[in-house]
Amino acid sequence: MSRFFATGSDSESEESSSADEITPKAPGATFKQSLLLSDDEEDTKRVVRSAKDKRFEELTNLIKTIRNAMKIRDMSKCLEEFEQLCRAFLKSKNIVDKEGIPPFYIRLLADLEDYLNQLWEDKEGKKKMNKNNAKALSTLRQKIRKYNRDFESEIAAYKEVKGKEPASSDICLFVPQGSSSDSEGEVSSKSFLKKKPEAPSEATKFLKTDESSSSDEDDDDDDEDWGSDQSGSSGETSDKEEGKTSSMSVLFLKKAQDTEKLGVRKEERKKKLKQKERIEEEAEEEGGEESGGGWEKVKGGVPLVKEKPKMFAKGTEINTAVVVKKLNEILQARGKKGTDRAAQIELFHALAAIAAENNLGQGILVKIKFNIIASLYDYNPNLAAFMKPDMWKKCLDCIDELLDILFEHNNIFIGENIAEDSENLAVSDQPFRVRGCILTLVERMDEEFTKIMQNTDPHSQEYVDNLKDEGRVCGIVDRLLTYLENKGSTEEICRVYLRRIMHTYYKFDYKAHRRSLGLQGETKSEQDQEESEGEDSAVIMDRLCKFIYAKDRTDRIRTCAILCHIYHHALHSRWYQARDLMLMSHLQDNIQHADPPVQILYNRTMVQLGICAFRQGMIKDAHNALLDIQSSGRAKELLGQGLLMRNMQERNAEQEKIEKRRQVPFHMHINLELLECVYLVSAMLLEIPYMAAHEFDARRRMISKQFHHQLRVGERQPLLGPPESMREHVVAASKAMKMGDWRTCHSFIINEKMNSKVWDLFPEAQRVREMLVRKIQEESLRTYLFTYSSVYDSISMATLSEMFELEMPTVHSIISKMIINEELMASLDQPTQTVVMHRTEPTSLQNMALQLAEKLGNLVENNERVFDLKQGVYGGYFNRDDCCLCTTTDQKSYQQKQSGYQRGGYRNQNQGNY
């Protein structure tokens, strides 16, 4: 170093020479700089810092920035500064190897890791973070854990010392306590950068002087980190000797004597603080007894409630007007930011108790109850959130109490049409008039119950416990129904009837079912006998729905009632009533214009209708009812029983929340595996005979695409083992039926595995299994005749009856229908009871003529349709006069008879059955 910059003593020059060794300079640099300096600049005193000072100052500045970012939870800034800190520490590797790792660096690593772990465990806090901060938190947590592996021993030693010290020590947390303004980073940087003006030696730069220690607020904290002031006030010569003989890292270590003294002082402080808190608590209790006001002790953070409104001052005459005024005061805080909703509910309860004590009448009590229930609903401002169990119990209790008051006092009139000015809450000869709607509260209660069931794990005991509350909910609805039948309007009665229907339509009435089978004598207890003697659910549904059909003015309530009525009929195997009601209502024409919940109810009703038809042996009707739901591949979503994974382009987060609120609770679900099995078995019973009849027909149409897809999947399998899943059982049964082997088909459809998965879930499982066996035998016979008719010249009906274990009249009936529908070219020889095959196959010219006639007919229909669109008249050629209509319909029916299965297949035959 050049002598030009040296302004200190000889001892200082020795230290400066050591600094020169660390940072060598170019030989001509000093000379050039000395030429450029002016006289004024020469007079100013220049401070020369070593490379160690510069590196440590850089580290302390970065640490300070990180701690400031930690205070405001800016994880992005923390990550950025931590990466810079790691790079800066890597640059100072040479100095760290000589002097040792600085303690402030170890302190930051330990504090930062603890801080990140606290944030990571705070689930609510993580949800409130924005996307960048959450991502930075995850990245920084991984980096700090990986980085701290190199400093495990140092961090463990620091935490051990930290654990022995009191919690208020400055090394424990990065968050400042009390009124101290300097962070640990600042203390560290000052300790490294502050110097004595008289003798700026290297050793004394890292020690706190009397001035620096007096500038801080707590001398004990400084002693804890840097040793006593006596070590800082020692002479320069001793400092120089220590700097030469020992490592500078010794100065960073704490002294055992100081820590002992500090521990004694901290214990004394704790005792003083406890005594002070005890005195304050006693003073607060005395002040609270004397007057209701005064200071309020707040635990942690800024209080949310600014000030609790006082109830009533001493000596106030409590009457109806005063209570109403206080009620309005409490209501003014409703919905405002920072309002404690739980405290507001408590105030309402306290006000209701005061009104009851002073006998102010039932009118004011009813009004307060209305507000309590509304406040309970407002406790969760988020629509998607559901009520907590304690709030739910309070809500049910309040509604029960309100209904008790309304039933006991007939002179209370409530309604939404009563204005607040015309309310009569005081006790007088006039009846009480209160503004409010009990029906709206009960409807909201019903919706909250649905939300609770939607947000509970259906496979847990909690779901069962919550489901037990449905009895209480239905009891409240029944009580309200009784009340409104006497005092409500027709519109209100229809609304409460629909609520009752919605809790009844999906439940199977086992008691009515047992009564119909004549098993009611088996019930032993008197309670069961009383319940069995009650009104059947079918009678209740019929009474409630017919009232809505007659009185309701809104289409939505009537539509929901019709769908629930059909569902209930189908659930109890009343197929013809359910089918007729569905066809007479014409809901299928305009259901696409209804809101999504009604569409979900329509889908559920159609599915239940198809399952009912299957139980009754109406295979074709069952297939047609289930076709739309199953062919879409979205049965789970269409029935409101779950969401399918989709791209974010099709459905954003907001739409997903809305769709989740539409989901049906688990106890109302329809078994999707049962639904698919019913559909596939129905498709098998229709498709296999059709495929056998049109095996060589190029224009063959598919009845069920999903069934064909399952068949193709089964054919692609390289190894065919025994079937395991329900679909594999149906595919294996289809292959057996295709060969006319009804016994193998029967063994695949009805076995222990299929019984446990599907068939035992039906109320009358044995009757369904018998029906299935019968249908498999009949369709296997048809398939056998289609497949092997070209092999036989004639076949005995007795042989067929023995092969398929069917009665002779049944075999005769099946073969006669096939001959009449021209599906089988044969004739019956009655004396010998044989079927004689005719073998009248059409020639190639006849086949081509038939195809030409069909294509010409399609062309004429298309031309007529285009002509009708231009003219604006529907019907066109076929509606010109009655004569033409008759001839064309005759021609059309003749063509259908000629083509049989070829024109439209099974799906277009006998559509007039409905």
Side-chain angles (χ1 to χ4, degrees):
M1 182 176 177
S2 177
R3 296 280 180 180
F4 184 79
F5 294 98
T7 57
S9 61
D10 296 337
S11 62
E12 187 178 352
S13 64
E14 292 177 8
E15 296 295 328
S16 62
S17 64
S18 64
D20 291 340
E21 292 174 4
I22 297 172
T23 56
K25 296 185 179 179
T30 308
F31 179 71
K32 288 180 181 179
Q33 289 178 0
S34 63
L35 292 176
L36 296 173
L37 293 173
S38 63
D39 296 336
D40 297 334
E41 290 173 340
E42 288 178 5
D43 296 337
T44 57
K45 186 176 181 180
R46 290 169 179 80
V47 179
V48 179
R49 293 182 298 169
S50 64
K52 178 180 178 181
D53 294 344
K54 292 177 183 177
R55 294 298 181 197
F56 281 9
E57 182 184 7
E58 184 182 2
L59 292 176
T60 51
N61 288 336
L62 289 170
I63 289 171
K64 180 180 176 182
T65 311
I66 289 174
R67 291 195 181 276
N68 289 337
M70 287 160 69
K71 291 175 187 176
I72 60 173
R73 294 197 175 194
D74 189 354
M75 292 295 103
S76 302
K77 185 70 174 174
C78 276
L79 178 60
E80 181 184 348
E81 295 297 325
F82 179 73
E83 290 173 349
Q84 291 184 15
L85 181 67
C86 294
R87 288 194 290 269
F89 187 76
L90 194 61
K91 288 179 185 177
S92 2
K93 190 175 184 304
N94 294 331
I95 297 172
V96 170
D97 292 341
K98 287 183 181 180
E99 304 293 338
I101 302 171
F104 61 84
Y105 190 73
I106 298 299
R107 185 182 301 126
L108 174 82
L109 295 180
D111 289 347
L112 183 57
E113 186 176 11
D114 294 342
Y115 173 72
L116 293 176
N117 289 336
Q118 288 176 9
L119 284 185
W120 191 260
E121 292 171 1
D122 184 11
K123 303 295 183 185
E124 296 297 328
K126 278 204 300 184
K127 288 180 183 177
K128 294 177 183 177
M129 281 187 182
N130 58 28
K131 188 177 180 181
N132 293 333
N133 268 351
K135 188 176 179 182
L137 172 63
S138 177
T139 308
L140 182 56
R141 182 169 172 267
Q142 292 176 359
K143 285 192 174 186
I144 193 73
R145 289 172 69 183
K146 186 177 179 181
Y147 188 75
N148 282 3
R149 290 173 191 166
D150 299 333
F151 306 96
E152 285 182 354
S153 58
E154 290 85 353
I155 292 174
Y158 164 71
K159 287 185 176 179
E160 185 179 353
V161 175
K162 177 181 172 182
K164 293 178 182 178
E165 297 297 331
S168 60
S169 177
D170 65 332
I171 65 169
C172 291
L173 294 173
F174 54 85
V175 181
Q177 300 292 334
S179 60
S180 61
S181 60
D182 293 338
S183 66
E184 288 178 5
E186 289 176 315
V187 174
S188 302
S189 62
K190 287 178 182 178
S191 63
F192 286 114
L193 299 178
K194 284 193 177 182
K195 302 178 182 180
K196 291 183 181 180
E198 298 87 1
S201 63
E202 286 294 331
T204 52
K205 291 177 186 178
F206 299 94
L207 298 177
K208 285 202 171 185
T209 60
D210 296 335
E211 296 175 1
S212 62
S213 61
S214 61
S215 64
D216 293 334
E217 288 186 21
D218 198 345
D219 294 338
D220 297 326
D221 295 343
D222 296 332
D223 292 342
E224 182 189 353
D225 288 337
W226 304 105
S228 63
D229 295 338
Q230 294 175 2
S231 65
S233 60
S234 61
E236 295 175 6
T237 56
S238 61
D239 290 340
K240 282 187 276 183
E241 289 173 2
E242 287 179 7
K244 291 174 183 177
T245 57
S246 62
S247 174
M248 294 300 295
S249 61
V250 178
L251 298 173
F252 294 94
L253 300 177
K254 294 184 180 180
K255 296 181 180 179
Q257 296 177 356
D258 294 338
T259 53
E260 289 175 2
K261 292 177 183 178
L262 183 64
V264 174
R265 290 176 186 173
K266 295 298 179 185
E267 288 177 3
E268 291 176 357
R269 285 184 186 176
K270 279 187 177 180
K271 290 178 181 178
K272 289 179 181 179
L273 286 172
K274 286 181 180 178
Q275 289 176 359
K276 190 176 180 182
E277 287 176 0
R278 198 179 300 117
I279 294 168
E280 286 177 357
E281 287 176 1
E282 291 173 359
E284 284 176 5
E285 290 174 1
E286 291 174 2
E289 291 174 0
E290 292 173 1
S291 61
W295 294 96
E296 180 185 356
K297 188 173 181 180
V298 179
K299 294 182 180 179
V302 182
L304 294 176
V305 181
K306 296 176 182 177
E307 185 182 356
K308 277 189 179 181
K310 299 176 184 177
M311 275 301 171
F312 301 104
K314 283 186 178 179
T316 305
E317 183 184 355
I318 297 175
N319 53 28
T320 305
V322 173
V323 173
V324 170
K325 184 180 178 183
K326 180 57 64 177
L327 180 65
N328 291 330
E329 283 181 16
I330 300 171
L331 284 174
Q332 284 175 2
R334 181 181 172 187
K336 289 184 179 179
K337 189 176 180 181
T339 303
D340 190 351
R341 297 181 180 87
Q344 197 175 32
I345 295 168
E346 291 176 5
L347 289 174
F348 280 128
H349 280 292
L351 196 61
I354 291 171
E357 285 176 8
N358 291 273
N359 297 324
L360 297 181
Q362 300 300 323
I364 188 68
L365 202 58
V366 168
K367 187 172 181 64
I368 295 172
K369 290 287 182 186
F370 270 120
N371 287 292
I372 290 173
I373 298 168
S375 299
L376 288 169
Y377 291 146
D378 290 344
Y379 191 77
N380 287 327
N382 188 4
L383 283 175
F386 60 98
M387 292 180 77
K388 299 294 184 291
D390 54 341
M391 290 294 171
W392 170 246
K393 301 293 182 187
K394 286 181 183 177
C395 179
L396 293 178
D397 293 339
C398 283
I399 294 176
D400 271 329
E401 290 171 7
L402 182 58
L403 286 170
D404 289 339
I405 295 171
L406 294 176
F407 274 111
E408 289 174 7
H409 302 85
N410 293 324
N411 59 340
I412 301 176
F413 292 96
I414 56 174
E416 289 179 317
N417 53 357
I418 298 175
E420 291 187 1
D421 299 338
S422 61
E423 282 185 326
N424 182 24
L425 304 175
V427 179
S428 62
D429 298 336
Q430 299 294 326
F432 294 109
R433 291 170 59 84
V434 184
R435 178 180 173 81
C437 182
I438 182 66
L439 176 59
T440 306
L441 297 180
V442 173
E443 286 179 336
R444 178 68 188 272
M445 175 206 67
D446 198 17
E447 292 168 5
E448 289 293 339
F449 176 72
T450 305
K451 282 200 287 187
I452 288 171
M453 302 311 295
Q454 286 172 345
N455 290 278
T456 308
D457 180 14
H459 306 291
S460 64
Q461 183 61 32
E462 185 185 0
Y463 191 91
V464 179
D465 296 338
N466 290 336
L467 190 57
K468 292 176 183 176
D469 289 335
E470 189 181 17
R472 195 170 175 188
V473 171
C474 292
I476 290 174
V477 172
D478 285 336
R479 293 184 68 191
L480 179 65
L481 186 148
T482 307
Y483 176 78
L484 290 178
E485 282 177 348
N486 297 326
K487 292 191 175 183
S489 62
T490 306
E491 182 184 353
E492 290 176 335
I493 294 173
C494 289
R495 284 166 61 189
V496 74
Y497 275 9
L498 181 62
R499 288 289 164 184
R500 186 68 183 86
I501 289 168
M502 296 298 284
H503 281 282
T504 307
Y505 80 97
Y506 63 89
K507 296 174 183 173
F508 187 81
D509 194 348
Y510 285 97
K511 290 170 185 171
H513 178 63
R514 289 169 66 85
R515 263 201 299 271
S516 65
L517 297 176
L519 301 175
Q520 68 269 23
E522 294 181 6
T523 57
K524 296 180 181 179
S525 65
E526 296 180 359
Q527 185 179 358
D528 290 344
Q529 289 180 0
E530 289 176 3
E531 290 179 357
S532 63
E533 290 172 1
E535 200 174 14
D536 287 351
S537 61
V539 179
I540 296 172
M541 288 289 294
D542 193 59
R543 175 171 57 83
L544 300 180
C545 291
K546 283 182 178 178
F547 181 88
I548 291 176
Y549 300 157
K551 303 290 184 181
D552 181 58
R553 298 177 184 176
T554 62
D555 290 336
R556 189 183 186 281
I557 293 179
R558 188 189 303 110
T559 302
C560 290
I562 291 171
L563 290 173
C564 292
H565 205 182
I566 296 169
Y567 190 104
H568 194 263
H569 279 316
L571 187 64
H572 292 83
S573 301
R574 295 188 287 270
W575 157 250
Y576 292 104
Q577 292 95 314
R579 184 200 66 181
D580 295 343
L581 189 55
M582 174 62 80
L583 292 174
M584 287 189 297
S585 63
H586 296 285
L587 289 176
Q588 61 271 23
D589 298 336
N590 53 7
I591 194 64
Q592 67 271 14
H593 302 300
D595 53 344
V598 178
Q599 290 185 14
I600 289 173
L601 181 59
Y602 174 80
N603 293 337
R604 285 166 54 81
T605 304
M606 287 302 298
V607 164
Q608 199 61 246
L609 198 62
I611 295 173
C612 175
F614 180 82
R615 288 201 303 268
Q616 301 300 314
M618 312 285 182
I619 303 299
K620 200 181 302 179
D621 295 326
H623 181 269
N624 291 335
L626 301 176
L627 179 63
D628 291 334
I629 299 293
Q630 284 297 122
S631 61
S632 66
R634 297 187 301 125
K636 185 177 183 181
E637 192 170 355
L638 293 175
L639 296 175
Q641 296 181 189
L643 299 179
L644 299 175
M645 296 297 293
R646 287 196 196 173
N647 297 329
M648 291 303 291
Q649 298 174 352
E650 298 181 19
R651 178 175 62 208
N652 55 29
E654 190 63 31
Q655 289 175 339
E656 189 170 350
K657 286 181 183 178
I658 294 171
E659 289 185 13
K660 280 183 179 178
R661 288 202 291 268
R662 294 178 186 146
Q663 298 305 300
V664 177
F666 182 76
H667 63 280
M668 299 171 63
H669 281 193
I670 297 171
N671 192 319
L672 294 178
E673 191 173 17
L674 180 143
L675 169 63
E676 187 177 9
C677 181
V678 166
Y679 175 74
L680 289 177
V681 170
S682 302
M684 177 190 76
L685 295 174
L686 298 177
E687 190 82 62
I688 296 300
Y690 177 72
M691 289 169 64
H694 300 82
E695 189 173 1
F696 303 105
D697 190 356
R699 295 178 289 110
R700 185 180 69 193
R701 299 178 184 176
M702 281 190 250
I703 297 175
S704 171
K705 289 184 179 179
Q706 189 180 6
F707 178 73
H708 276 272
H709 173 70
Q710 296 299 332
L711 288 180
R712 284 194 296 270
V713 169
E715 290 171 359
R716 287 177 196 158
Q717 291 180 355
L719 295 173
L720 287 176
E724 295 181 0
S725 66
M726 177 270 300
R727 294 175 183 174
E728 291 176 358
H729 276 86
V730 175
V731 170
S734 303
K735 291 178 180 177
M737 182 183 280
K738 207 170 183 181
M739 304 301 294
D741 187 358
W742 75 271
R743 288 183 178 86
T744 308
C745 177
H746 167 241
S747 65
F748 281 130
I749 292 294
I750 299 173
N751 51 55
E752 290 184 4
K753 191 178 286 188
M754 290 292 285
N755 286 342
S756 60
K757 282 186 176 181
V758 181
W759 308 125
D760 287 343
L761 302 177
F762 286 117
E764 299 176 355
Q766 187 58 36
R767 190 170 64 83
V768 173
R769 282 192 281 265
E770 291 172 0
M771 178 273 299
L772 266 176
V773 173
R774 184 82 173 181
K775 290 292 179 183
I776 289 171
Q777 290 171 334
E778 292 176 1
E779 297 303 327
S780 297
L781 171 60
R782 288 164 48 80
T783 307
Y784 185 84
L785 290 174
F786 284 135
T787 305
Y788 300 108
S789 61
S790 58
V791 178
Y792 289 99
D793 287 330
S794 63
I795 185 170
S796 170
M797 285 195 292
T799 305
L800 292 174
S801 175
E802 187 178 345
M803 283 175 62
F804 294 96
E805 297 183 7
L806 291 169
E807 299 84 2
M808 282 290 292
T810 307
V811 175
H812 187 277
S813 171
I814 292 170
I815 296 174
S816 300
K817 284 179 184 176
M818 293 174 69
I819 293 171
I820 291 170
N821 294 330
E822 298 183 3
E823 297 169 354
L824 183 66
M825 299 302 174
S827 61
L828 283 172
D829 188 14
Q830 201 68 28
T832 59
Q833 294 289 310
T834 56
V835 183
V836 181
M837 304 300 174
H838 286 174
R839 300 188 179 283
T840 55
E841 297 294 332
T843 63
S844 59
L845 181 62
Q846 289 173 336
N847 277 329
M848 293 174 66
L850 288 172
Q851 291 178 15
L852 178 63
E854 186 173 0
K855 289 180 180 178
L856 288 173
N858 291 335
L859 182 64
V860 170
E861 288 179 6
N862 290 333
N863 286 337
E864 288 297 324
R865 198 173 291 113
V866 172
F867 180 75
D868 293 342
L869 290 173
K870 288 183 178 180
Q871 296 296 322
V873 179
Y874 185 75
Y877 176 78
F878 296 107
N879 289 338
R880 287 179 182 171
D881 50 33
D882 295 336
C883 182
C884 290
L885 179 62
C886 294
T887 55
T888 51
T889 51
D890 290 341
Q891 290 173 0
K892 198 168 183 182
S893 63
Y894 175 73
Q895 287 176 2
Q896 284 182 353
K897 286 180 181 179
Q898 288 291 328
S899 58
Y901 269 108
Q902 297 174 4
R903 292 290 308 278
Y906 252 73
R907 289 173 63 183
N908 291 335
Q909 285 187 2
N910 300 328
Q911 289 186 351
N913 288 347
Y914 282 122

